[in-house]
Amino acid sequence: MSLSIVMREHGGPEVLTAVETETGNPGPGQIRLRQTAVAVNFHDIYVRTGLYRTLTLPGIPGLEAVGLVTDIGPGVTRFASGDHVAYMTLGYGGYATERTLPAELAVKIADGVDDVTAASVFLKGLTAEMLACRVHPIKPGETILVHAAAGGVGNLLVQWAVKRGATVIGTAGSAEKLDFARQAGCTHVINYRTENFVDAIREITNGLGVDVAYDSVGRDTFKGSLASLAQCGHLVNFGQSSGPVDPVAPAELFARSLTLSRPNVFHYAMKDRATLEEISAALFQGFVEGWLTAPAPVQFPLADAADAHRLVESRAVSGSVVLRP
Ligand SMILES: NC(=O)c1ccc[n+]([C@@H]2O[C@H](COP(=O)([O-])OP(=O)(O)OC[C@H]3O[C@@H](n4cnc5c(N)ncnc54)[C@H](OP(=O)(O)O)[C@@H]3O)[C@@H](O)[C@H]2O)c1
């Protein structure tokens, strides 16, 4: 049996309720996990509110978690009982103490990285790698903009960009978050709730604009991000924490030869097994070598998932939030 968080309808955090569910034995190609740490992602908020209708209801939300392999299904050779693994899946089901899972979705966690840290950075770190190394491979000397730079993805993206030689301008919504973004490696920080970030960027870049703008905030920042780009600049819109973005006419891009991307980490990191292993290894290696760091995540008991959602939506968190089964 597993304690699971089930959603029967879309709505506020109160729709997340704890119930006992049956786990079952792992089938062919599957493993069973006793989960040790479950990540909360902003995606989970979109799923709960119904902005994304990708979880069939009633259903167990949660895109990713970390756990101990307790059972191996027929045909699984990649893992053994006792392995610590991380996974992400668009099949959801992460908010649970136990689950079965296709073994192909999981990777072993590197020695030296503990389960809670791994859960706090796995999907978010694979996203940072995708953004900094694949969607726009950052070159030394580039100046980039990272919105929500103190957020879960933002904190890791700033560090990855600095590692690749960029000068990073970060935005965030409070003085405390700006300090956090500076510690992650931002050379310049802007409170986009109190300052006009487009004007501030123009001043910082002597009117040139940035080479790349990484925008996960969406509705509130999208137009300003486009306006902050240098000629031939690249806007990478990878989220919509403030709401969906209005349609854009290609002519708006043509005016200054701009590029617009809207990437999904599942399409990049889960393209095939080799890519998943390569990006996961790069992420864990960053932590082992010490050029990637993450603050201890805010932790909640799994049964208090609703409170975790309230905190994430309140914009009060720097870094990540993790549920403990
Ligand atoms: N495309 C992909 O494959 C992919 C993968 C992972 C994540 N994402 C996206 O990346 C973003 C970051 O994800 P995360 O899990 O690391 O979350 P997060 O950045 O830790 O949290 C979202 C942050 O967005 C900022 N924000 C701005 N306007 C907001 C609003 N109206 N309501 C709430 N927050 C607002 C807040 O920071 P401030 O207070 O500093 O403004 C907040 O802390 C999300 O949009 C997520 O959907 C996309």
Side-chain angles (χ1 to χ4, degrees):
M1 292 295 279
S2 169
L3 181 79
S4 302
I5 302 297
V6 173
M7 271 176 61
R8 293 193 167 74
E9 57 186 335
H10 298 115
E14 69 284 352
V15 302
L16 301 172
T17 50
V19 295
E20 295 267 319
T21 54
E22 195 67 52
T23 312
N25 291 322
Q30 291 190 326
I31 50 178
R32 180 158 53 196
L33 298 180
R34 178 155 57 72
Q35 302 205 122
T36 50
V38 175
V40 176
N41 286 288
F42 213 87
H43 178 108
D44 305 350
I45 309 289
Y46 306 142
V47 167
R48 196 205 71 224
T49 59
L51 177 65
Y52 289 174
R53 303 266 165 160
T54 39
L55 172 68
T56 305
L57 303 185
I60 302 171
L63 285 173
E64 59 161 339
V66 161
L68 193 68
V69 178
T70 54
D71 283 292
I72 304 286
V76 175
T77 53
R78 201 179 289 289
F79 300 112
S81 289
D83 284 344
H84 286 257
V85 299
Y87 70 85
M88 60 183 206
T89 173
L90 282 173
Y92 297 101
Y95 285 19
T97 55
E98 270 193 22
R99 74 170 302 165
T100 56
L101 183 84
E104 286 306 298
L105 301 179
V107 295
K108 279 186 203 166
I109 297 170
D111 291 343
V113 181
D114 65 82
D115 283 13
V116 171
T117 301
S120 73
V121 302
F122 188 62
L123 184 151
K124 296 172 182 76
L126 300 192
T127 304
E129 199 272 0
M130 164 188 83
L131 296 169
C133 308
R134 292 168 200 260
V135 177
H136 181 99
I138 294 172
K139 293 186 283 301
E142 286 189 323
T143 300
I144 73 160
L145 166 65
V146 176
H147 283 305
V153 176
N155 169 51
L156 296 165
L157 175 57
V158 169
Q159 294 175 64
W160 220 305
V162 169
K163 173 77 174 165
R164 290 182 69 98
T167 299
V168 184
I169 304 170
T171 62
S174 70
E176 191 194 347
K177 286 185 170 189
L178 293 181
D179 279 346
F180 184 78
R182 222 181 260 109
Q183 282 164 32
C186 290
T187 304
H188 307 278
V189 291
I190 304 165
N191 184 334
Y192 56 5
R193 292 178 94 168
T194 57
E195 280 181 77
N196 180 321
F197 74 84
V198 181
D199 291 346
I201 288 168
R202 202 167 290 132
E203 199 174 317
I204 292 166
T205 61
N206 296 318
L208 287 177
V210 294
D211 299 297
V212 199
Y214 291 104
D215 188 335
S216 65
V217 173
R219 182 153 54 206
D220 290 354
T221 49
F222 186 87
K223 290 281 180 196
S225 296
L226 270 185
S228 301
L229 291 176
Q231 193 160 294
C232 301
H234 189 176
L235 171 53
V236 184
N237 170 225
F238 68 99
Q240 43 192 348
S241 308
S242 67
V245 171
D246 291 332
V248 193
E252 281 190 60
L253 306 177
F254 173 66
R256 287 187 299 124
S257 295
L258 307 177
T259 305
L260 172 63
S261 299
R262 183 59 170 101
N264 179 335
V265 68
F266 283 89
H267 299 158
Y268 278 85
M270 309 285 280
K271 189 171 133 231
D272 50 42
R273 180 74 204 177
T275 308
L276 176 63
E277 288 187 2
E278 180 193 329
I279 305 186
S280 306
L283 172 67
F284 292 138
Q285 187 71 13
F287 279 88
V288 171
E289 291 175 359
W291 59 268
L292 270 180
T293 59
V298 181
Q299 299 181 43
F300 288 86
L302 176 68
D304 296 341
D307 289 337
H309 275 221
R310 286 185 189 99
L311 182 68
V312 168
E313 285 178 294
S314 76
R315 300 175 71 164
V317 188
S318 298
S320 299
V321 175
V322 160
L323 304 173
R324 301 303 303 276

